[in-house]
Amino acid sequence: MIAKGDMPSMNEKAPEGQKPEGGSYRVLIVDDSMFIAKQLGQIFTSEGFEVAGTAADGAQGVEKYKEMHPNIDLVTMDITMPVMDGVSALEKILEFDKSACVIMVSALGKEDVVKKSLLMGAKSYIVKPLDRKKVLERVISVLKH
């Protein structure tokens, strides 16, 4: 038996993580902080996104992106990580796929690096500490354009 609360009403909008043509946007989260990666994952899944994978450093992120390409709609890329930093990983992903949709994740005080990333081809940035509403606004605006 379906309860009234289980049925979507006509004025309810689809979750932000749903593509207009159906299915979920697939996200790859690249961050060496398990806490931030988990927090981003929770924000995304709460809106219907699919977290397709996570990576703990830029080198892993590049490899995972290549393995999953073209089935990744968005990458969130931390800037400061061991092995390979986010800017180098961004560069490698864009060399592989110039239309990659990468959003940089940065702590305050990294404005110069964020600016460099945007000039290289990152689509936007998110500032830590994470604000759920701002994360979703940035991600949705990038995916819809």
Side-chain angles (χ1 to χ4, degrees), residues 41 73 82 95 121 130:
D73 299 297
E95 280 171 13
L130 300 175

Side-chain angles (χ1 to χ4, degrees), residues 73-91:
D73 299 297
L74 176 76
V75 179
T76 62
M77 180 73 68
D78 186 22
I79 289 179
T80 309
M81 293 181 288
V83 186
M84 182 189 291
D85 66 83
V87 177
S88 302
L90 169 68
E91 191 174 14

Side-chain angles (χ1 to χ4, degrees), residues 43 126 130-140:
I43 291 170
I126 298 166
L130 300 175
D131 174 306
R132 182 180 192 281
K133 189 169 175 264
K134 286 192 178 115
V135 168
L136 290 169
E137 279 171 7
R138 290 271 161 94
V139 167
I140 299 310

Side-chain angles (χ1 to χ4, degrees), residues 10-71:
M10 288 302 190
N11 59 5
E12 259 183 55
K13 64 181 182 54
E16 298 285 11
Q18 298 296 302
K19 294 179 181 181
E21 67 275 12
S24 297
Y25 287 110
R26 291 173 48 94
V27 184
L28 172 61
I29 298 170
V30 185
D31 203 304
D32 62 320
S33 162
M34 276 181 61
F35 175 75
I36 296 291
K38 189 172 182 184
Q39 200 178 6
L40 281 168
Q42 288 170 337
I43 291 170
F44 290 135
T45 53
S46 73
E47 274 300 323
F49 289 84
E50 178 188 338
V51 176
T54 57
D57 64 60
Q60 280 181 16
V62 172
E63 285 313 304
K64 284 208 175 175
Y65 186 84
K66 288 178 177 179
E67 284 168 23
M68 297 177 184
H69 179 77
N71 298 315

Side-chain angles (χ1 to χ4, degrees), residues 1-10 12:
M1 173 115 182
I2 298 173
K4 196 173 178 182
D6 294 338
M7 297 295 289
S9 70
M10 288 302 190
E12 259 183 55

Side-chain angles (χ1 to χ4, degrees), residues 95-108:
E95 280 171 13
F96 175 76
D97 173 16
K98 60 183 173 295
S99 64
C101 189
V102 181
I103 295 180
M104 304 308 283
V105 179
S106 158
L108 290 169

